[in-house]
Amino acid sequence: MTENKNHERSAVSVIGLGQMGTRLAQAFLTVGHTTTVWNRTVAKADALVAQGAVRAATADAAIAASPLIVVSLPDYTTMQDLLGPVARSLRGRTLANLTSGTPEEAARMADWAAGHGADYLDGAAMSGTRLVGRPEALFVFSGSPEAFATHRSVLASLGNSMHLGADPALAPVYDTALFGLAWGALAGFYHAVALVGAAGVDPADFAAVATGHMPFVTSLMADHARQIEDGRFPDDDGTVEVHAAAMEHLVQTSRAQGIGTDVPKLIKALLDRAAATGHGTSGIASVIETITKGERNV
Ligand SMILES: NC(=O)c1ccc[n+]([C@@H]2O[C@H](COP(=O)([O-])OP(=O)(O)OC[C@H]3O[C@@H](n4cnc5c(N)ncnc54)[C@H](OP(=O)(O)O)[C@@H]3O)[C@@H](O)[C@H]2O)c1
């Protein structure tokens, strides 16, 4: 076990050792935290115990072992069923819940934890399992700021652990928003790979060029966020009409190559709706209004 001198050693318990929970426990162990683990199927803890984890005989014992309890289960119902009977043990501890769910479930869970005298952090693992423990693995948390401050260094063992605010619902809101962002980018990537593939380009060769192009795309976000806040959409990055025409070229080129047009058509439809509501000569960030108004805008 390697001990990272940047992390203060502490005690943490992990409940639920599926794909995610196992990686969480490994990350805590790697940094040198005393890591207690519990899983319904006992054998799944064996490898972690061999790496230095402490096996708890029950979920109750896992809770009693540490001031910070990290839970990774399939859903909130499973978590509630499991923790309900042992809730009294949570008093005075922090429950950090990395189970995926909705903002409403997070708010209810925070109330439930408070009712049992526990601090609550809702969280989401944004970078899959492979990067857990590396600085680029994003973990978002929301809920008790005091609990996050207390356990910041332990949670930092997981990667780039950010606190978004006191509202426990923020973590699942970011979770779904960032998931949609990643899929928007990936849908564009898959379409692009199909398009250049039709011209005989190797996916890996294209990926190298595309990766080099992404900093330009991400550089637009801060500028466009400011435009959205100001409600003013200068055309420095092109107008809605110009982008709609370019997107139509992509639709036609895709059709000519015999590949699907779903992705560019979706974007073209958004641009067309923005133009129809008077934003044809506005900058492209004005599409936010089309999205925000949703069906009311049609
Ligand atoms: N895997 C990912 O890439 C990823 C990425 C981001 C977020 N997440 C989130 O992380 C959470 C866990 O996902 P996962 O991929 O680790 O799932 P998983 O591999 O299917 O593991 C599920 C875990 O929950 C336990 N479990 C299921 N039902 C239970 C019950 N009734 N009582 C007690 N324990 C029970 C399982 O125990 P047994 O071993 O006994 O079956 C196992 O430890 C989910 O909310 C998921 O959305 C996962």
Side-chain angles (χ1 to χ4, degrees):
M1 185 193 309
T2 358
E3 188 175 330
N4 183 335
K5 300 286 182 227
N6 293 324
H7 293 270
E8 206 176 297
R9 285 186 66 147
S10 193
V12 56
S13 293
V14 180
I15 291 179
L17 302 174
Q19 284 190 351
M20 179 55 73
T22 298
R23 297 305 299 261
L24 303 176
Q26 275 167 349
F28 292 132
L29 280 171
T30 299
V31 173
H33 297 304
T34 303
T35 307
T36 301
V37 294
W38 180 86
N39 193 60
R40 178 180 62 177
T41 305
V42 175
K44 280 202 191 158
D46 291 352
L48 288 164
V49 170
Q51 291 165 50
V54 179
R55 191 195 308 270
T58 60
D60 204 11
I63 294 170
S66 312
L68 174 64
I69 320 300
V70 175
V71 178
S72 176
L73 291 168
D75 50 53
Y76 281 62
T77 306
T78 305
M79 183 171 56
Q80 198 89 54
D81 290 349
L82 184 66
L83 297 184
V86 295
R88 61 180 157 46
S89 303
L90 285 166
R91 178 166 296 279
R93 303 176 197 281
T94 295
L95 179 62
N97 176 28
L98 282 166
T99 301
S100 303
T102 65
E104 293 73 23
E105 286 175 315
R108 274 201 300 275
M109 201 65 208
D111 287 345
W112 179 86
H116 292 283
D119 285 328
Y120 183 75
L121 290 169
D122 207 275
M126 297 313 311
S127 312
T129 52
R130 274 190 293 167
L131 295 181
V132 174
R134 295 171 58 98
E136 61 269 36
L138 176 63
F139 283 82
V140 292
F141 291 93
S142 64
S144 166
E146 296 78 19
F148 186 79
T150 301
H151 300 293
R152 177 190 291 274
S153 99
V154 182
L155 295 172
S157 324
L158 301 177
N160 175 18
S161 290
M162 297 180 64
H163 188 251
L164 303 169
D167 181 353
L170 275 174
V173 168
Y174 268 69
D175 184 11
T176 45
L178 290 170
F179 182 72
L181 170 64
W183 255 102
L186 286 172
F189 174 69
Y190 300 141
H191 182 87
V193 168
L195 186 65
V196 297
V201 177
D202 187 71
D205 288 344
F206 179 74
V209 174
T211 302
H213 180 56
M214 286 314 283
F216 163 69
V217 179
T218 55
S219 76
L220 298 180
M221 291 184 191
D223 271 355
H224 289 197
R226 263 193 301 277
Q227 293 176 15
I228 291 164
E229 274 169 11
D230 294 347
R232 279 197 297 273
F233 306 106
D235 61 3
D236 310 17
D237 301 309
T239 64
V240 165
E241 276 168 359
V242 166
H243 279 258
M247 200 52 67
E248 180 57 27
H249 293 152
L250 180 54
V251 172
Q252 286 173 15
T253 308
S254 302
R255 197 175 287 131
Q257 295 287 0
I259 70 162
T261 53
D262 320 59
V263 176
K265 269 188 179 163
L266 170 71
I267 300 161
K268 175 75 168 37
L270 277 175
L271 290 162
D272 286 347
R273 276 171 58 198
T277 56
H279 276 305
T281 55
S282 303
I284 53 172
S286 62
V287 164
I288 188 74
E289 293 192 353
T290 303
I291 295 170
T292 304
K293 288 179 187 153
E295 300 308 309
R296 288 171 287 149
N297 202 26
V298 181

